[in-house]
Amino acid sequence: MMKLVNRFGKDILNMKLSVRRAFLILYDVLAVVISSFMPLIMRFEFRFHEIPRRYLSNMLWFLPLGILLTILVFYLFRLYHSLWAYAGVTEMQNMAAACAVNALIQCIGLHCTGHEVPRSYYFIFLLFLFALTLLSRFSYRLLREAKHRIINSRNATAVMVVGAGDAGNVIIKEIIGSYYSTMNIKCVIDDDPNKWGRYVQDIRIIGGRERIIDAAREYRIDEIIIALPSVPKSIVRDVINICKETDCKLRTLPGMYQLVNGEVNVSKIRDVDVEDLLGREPIRVDLDSILSYVKGKVVMVTGGGGSIGSELCRQIATHQPKQLILLDIYENGAYDVQQELLAAYPGLNLCVLIGSVRNTNRMNSIFETYHPDIVYHAAAHKHVPLMEESPNEAVKNNVFGTWKTAQAAAMNGVKKFVMISTDKAVNPTNIMGATKRICEMIVQTFNRHYDTEFVAVRFGNVLGSNGSVIPLFRRQIEAGGPVTVTHPDIIRYFMTIPEAVSLVLQAGAYAKGGEIFVLDMGEPVKIYDLAKNLIRLSGYRPEEDIKIIFTGLRPGEKLYEELLMSEEGMADTENRLIHIGKPIELDEMTFFRQLRDLKLAVNLEDVQVKDIVKKIVPTYVTKEHENDRKSLEEEAK
């Protein structure tokens, strides 16, 4: 039955196509007749009775043959096959070529058979035939676009496009021509004075960026599309900052590569993100040369299902490792990354393992089985307030998870071990940062005793990572607010996940052993400003539509993060964004004894574990120690 229905449907479709083709053939017959008579009528100034009979008889003698040849030529040039609703430059070129060939056939045929016509006959014949053929093929498209313009002019969403270049032109053209568009483009903005007053797809370019605010009010703009994929990020940031003052929803194109790949269209437009407001060019490194040491190697990533670990896997997968081992305790995250990598890199030798870095036997078994050459250790508990409530878990996972992983690596001939650290390890005020500082001390100590090159890479916050502030703000805005900020003056350093990971990989290439690499995170960002920007970018007004409330610093949180301890000093690398902190000297025997006491304490779930951690990390300041210090200062006064 289904086959019968499908066949019936195809028969109807074929019948419609045959009817359309027959109509075009009949129309072309009429067009040839008109194009044959009009040159003679025009030549004799529309006085039909003055046309010499020999010219008329010669033209009529060739007309039947001319009709047949025209249909044949048009068929060969596919003028009966194209979808004329979407006709473009290619179809017009085919049409012009077909008409030119047909006129040439007319000329050769009449001349060779001795049938004389006026010399102007062939040129006028060509003009009329092309015009009539153009009318038949493009009239439907012109009517369709006119209908779209009328419909779009009634659409509710008034749009301003910033950028009258190639990307802007493509976006405007697609919006105007789309049946499904709900946008009505009112005006275009461009900083090039030579374009002012001109039109893109019949939409006027009204001025430069200084006109954005006034134009948004004048044209009652609802949405602004920023079509500037090829300009510097600093300019895009400035444009966005102006657009934020309009209360319009902001959308933009991802980047220049969309133009190169020909992928600029409405589907590529995305909401303007806070990342666009960083105002700097994306950090790029020469991964092809840097990751040459990855090619043909067995590489393991612990915490491979997390934000940083998964991006490490993505970038490593592009450089043909012999095998990529993804290790994580959380099976859902590991599974998601596994499916993504297998789909993107079918030839990748990927091994996904579930296990905890806290399990000594499991880690030893994995290293003995797979013998990785390089290890990126990203597994850790990182959420500051949660770790303040569960300090023993922070120590077990971060400190002793790192110890066991590093020891298994050293005992099984791993060539390079790169630990992911954090700026919170510098003068830590929370247990998470203090445990990461101990981890740095562990890898520096191991480096002195084993052939494996042990290093740490320290950086700040990454945009969009699990537990970061950006996703939280977005959820709060979607719920209608309020947006919660801990303190009006709190600042943080930010970098995108791909940027941070690419620098981690480059730092790994520089590693000689024992270094703490410090990534340059750029200028710090006030979290309060970040919240306001996200609210504006979502189309709301801070404090009016969406309230911002201050909740106070959370346990272990400080107003600003430092990337380098003062006693470490600083050394440069070939990359200006990567620096090396000199190792801090420590008494290894005392350090190992303290670690033994720490391990005993956490196994007994000692509530005073923070005091033991402070003995290991003297720069660690807990809330209790800070309160004691303040009390002593007040007593002294």
Side-chain angles (χ1 to χ4, degrees):
M1 182 66 181
M2 185 59 69
K3 289 182 179 179
L4 186 62
V5 171
N6 290 338
R7 184 173 179 180
F8 181 70
K10 289 181 179 179
D11 289 341
I12 292 177
L13 180 60
N14 290 333
M15 186 181 298
K16 288 182 177 179
L17 292 173
S18 298
V19 170
R20 291 177 184 175
R21 193 167 293 169
F23 172 79
L24 282 176
I25 291 173
L26 290 174
Y27 177 91
D28 290 339
V29 170
L30 181 61
V32 173
V33 172
I34 293 173
S35 301
S36 299
F37 273 98
M38 287 307 296
L40 297 177
I41 293 173
M42 292 181 66
R43 170 65 177 77
F44 294 95
E45 299 178 352
F46 296 93
R47 297 185 180 94
F48 188 79
H49 61 279
E50 293 185 6
I51 300 175
R53 287 189 175 275
R54 69 179 188 280
Y55 289 159
L56 281 173
S57 61
N58 289 343
M59 180 271 295
L60 290 171
W61 176 86
F62 192 79
L63 184 59
L65 181 59
I67 290 172
L68 291 175
L69 291 172
T70 298
I71 294 172
L72 176 61
V73 170
F74 280 13
Y75 182 85
L76 293 174
F77 278 87
R78 299 181 178 275
L79 299 194
Y80 299 120
H81 300 79
S82 298
L83 291 172
W84 295 105
Y86 305 101
V89 175
T90 301
E91 286 77 14
M92 183 173 288
Q93 289 174 343
N94 289 341
M95 195 181 304
C99 291
V101 169
N102 202 48
L104 182 61
I105 291 173
Q106 285 272 91
C107 178
I108 295 173
L110 287 169
H111 183 74
C112 291
T113 57
H115 289 79
E116 181 187 3
V117 290
R119 285 178 295 178
S120 61
Y121 177 89
Y122 307 109
F123 179 70
I124 298 174
F125 172 85
L126 172 61
L127 290 181
F128 268 92
L129 184 61
F130 180 72
L132 291 171
T133 307
L134 187 69
L135 178 64
S136 66
R137 269 64 176 183
F138 279 80
S139 58
Y140 180 73
R141 174 175 174 174
L142 293 174
L143 290 172
R144 181 174 176 268
E145 291 189 354
K147 180 182 177 182
H148 289 175
R149 287 181 183 273
I150 293 171
I151 293 172
N152 285 343
S153 66
R154 297 172 183 165
N155 287 338
T157 306
V159 175
M160 173 195 297
V161 175
V162 180
D166 292 339
N169 178 59
V170 172
I171 292 299
I172 294 169
K173 183 177 181 180
E174 185 169 347
I175 290 173
I176 291 174
S178 174
Y179 268 121
Y180 308 103
S181 171
T182 58
M183 303 178 190
N184 179 17
I185 301 177
K186 296 287 189 178
C187 61
V188 180
I189 295 291
D190 198 283
D191 281 343
D192 185 354
N194 295 321
K195 297 180 180 179
W196 296 351
R198 299 188 180 186
Y199 292 81
V200 178
Q201 303 291 328
D202 208 30
I203 308 296
R204 191 166 182 267
I205 304 171
I206 61 173
R209 71 180 80 170
E210 68 281 352
R211 289 274 288 124
I212 289 176
I213 296 175
D214 291 338
R217 188 165 44 248
E218 178 183 345
Y219 291 95
R220 298 182 180 179
I221 299 298
D222 301 306
E223 187 171 309
I224 299 175
I225 298 175
I226 301 172
L228 302 171
S230 59
V231 304
K233 288 288 184 181
S234 58
I235 294 178
V236 175
R237 178 202 59 193
D238 294 342
V239 170
I240 292 174
N241 284 331
I242 295 172
C243 293
K244 285 190 307 181
E245 303 302 318
T246 65
D247 295 331
C248 299
K249 183 176 181 179
L250 306 185
R251 302 177 79 187
T252 188
L253 292 174
M256 182 60 188
Y257 72 92
Q258 300 287 349
L259 272 178
V260 174
N261 294 341
E263 297 176 4
V264 173
N265 54 50
V266 172
S267 67
K268 299 299 179 184
I269 298 175
R270 62 167 173 79
D271 290 346
V272 168
D273 206 337
V274 68
E275 190 176 315
D276 298 305
L277 291 169
L278 292 181
R280 56 170 171 78
E281 296 302 313
I283 294 171
R284 303 190 187 282
V285 297
D286 184 6
L287 288 178
D288 289 328
S289 61
I290 294 162
L291 288 183
S292 58
Y293 70 93
V294 169
K295 185 176 181 180
K297 302 291 197 309
V298 178
V299 184
M300 175 188 285
V301 178
T302 70
S307 304
I308 299 299
S310 62
E311 182 62 24
L312 276 166
C313 290
R314 291 184 194 98
Q315 294 194 22
I316 291 168
T318 64
H319 290 79
Q320 302 169 350
K322 180 179 180 181
Q323 185 177 38
L324 175 59
I325 302 168
L326 187 161
L327 174 68
D328 205 290
I329 188 63
Y330 181 52
E331 60 179 314
N332 292 341
Y335 175 79
D336 289 342
V337 178
Q338 178 192 48
Q339 297 307 305
E340 177 190 341
L341 292 175
L342 290 177
Y345 310 100
L348 177 65
N349 182 3
L350 176 66
C351 178
V352 176
L353 303 174
I354 302 301
S356 171
V357 294
R358 293 158 59 164
N359 187 327
T360 305
N361 291 335
R362 177 61 171 155
M363 296 309 297
N364 288 339
S365 174
I366 290 172
F367 277 85
E368 290 169 2
T369 302
Y370 295 95
H371 296 286
D373 300 296
I374 305 169
V375 174
Y376 290 96
H377 181 52
H381 286 327
K382 306 180 185 74
H383 199 282
V384 170
L386 291 182
M387 292 305 100
E388 287 301 296
E389 296 299 322
S390 305
N392 286 301
E393 293 305 304
V395 172
K396 292 174 188 176
N397 201 66
N398 295 356
V399 174
F400 294 108
T402 297
W403 177 284
K404 292 173 181 180
T405 306
Q407 190 168 52
M411 299 304 295
N412 287 277
V414 170
K415 295 180 177 62
K416 196 182 297 285
F417 185 99
V418 181
M419 190 206 80
I420 308 300
S421 190
T422 172
D423 56 356
K424 294 174 179 61
V426 183
N427 298 324
T429 59
N430 52 71
I431 191 67
M432 193 281 283
T435 58
K436 279 293 190 178
R437 179 60 192 142
I438 296 175
C439 291
E440 293 177 352
M441 297 163 71
I442 288 172
V443 297
Q444 286 187 327
T445 303
F446 269 59
N447 187 71
R448 299 188 187 102
H449 296 279
Y450 297 98
D451 293 334
T452 301
E453 295 172 355
F454 286 94
V455 299
V457 181
R458 184 191 295 164
F459 56 88
N461 299 274
V462 288
L463 289 169
S465 64
N466 295 332
S468 74
V469 72
I470 307 298
L472 172 63
F473 285 171
R474 286 202 182 102
R475 290 194 296 270
Q476 291 175 335
I477 292 169
E478 288 172 2
V483 171
T484 56
V485 177
T486 57
H487 192 283
D489 297 323
I490 192 169
I491 63 171
R492 290 292 182 267
Y493 294 89
F494 283 100
M495 186 179 286
T496 66
I497 294 175
E499 288 176 326
V501 166
S502 65
L503 289 176
V504 167
L505 294 171
Q506 186 165 21
Y510 292 155
K512 296 291 185 286
E515 302 97 337
I516 296 179
F517 291 97
V518 182
L519 305 188
D520 187 338
M521 301 292 292
E523 294 297 319
V525 177
K526 287 187 70 172
I527 302 300
Y528 178 52
D529 292 339
L530 198 65
K532 290 192 295 183
N533 287 334
L534 269 176
I535 293 171
R536 289 195 184 101
L537 295 179
S538 301
Y540 301 105
R541 290 166 295 183
E543 303 296 356
E544 295 183 35
D545 302 322
I546 302 287
K547 295 291 184 183
I548 299 176
I549 60 174
F550 299 105
T551 58
L553 292 176
R554 297 174 298 179
E557 191 173 46
K558 54 185 177 180
L559 284 177
Y560 61 93
E561 305 291 0
E562 305 158 89
L563 292 179
L564 196 69
M565 299 176 75
S566 59
E567 63 266 35
E568 287 179 287
M570 181 77 79
D572 294 328
T573 66
E574 295 175 21
N575 189 323
R576 62 181 178 80
L577 298 174
I578 302 176
H579 309 284
I580 301 175
K582 295 179 181 178
I584 299 173
E585 297 297 326
L586 56 86
D587 184 332
E588 289 187 7
M589 295 304 296
T590 301
F591 179 52
F592 289 142
R593 186 172 61 252
Q594 290 171 330
L595 284 179
R596 183 189 60 201
D597 295 342
L598 181 62
K599 184 176 183 180
L600 179 62
V602 296
N603 286 339
L604 295 174
E605 301 296 337
D606 192 336
V607 294
Q608 302 298 324
V609 68
K610 292 182 180 179
D611 292 332
I612 302 174
V613 170
K614 181 167 177 57
K615 292 178 182 177
I616 304 174
V617 185
T619 56
Y620 172 38
V621 179
T622 67
K623 184 178 180 181
E624 293 78 9
H625 291 121
E626 182 67 16
N627 291 337
D628 292 343
R629 183 185 64 78
K630 289 181 179 179
S631 298
L632 291 173
E633 288 178 353
E634 290 175 0
E635 289 178 8
K637 291 178 181 178

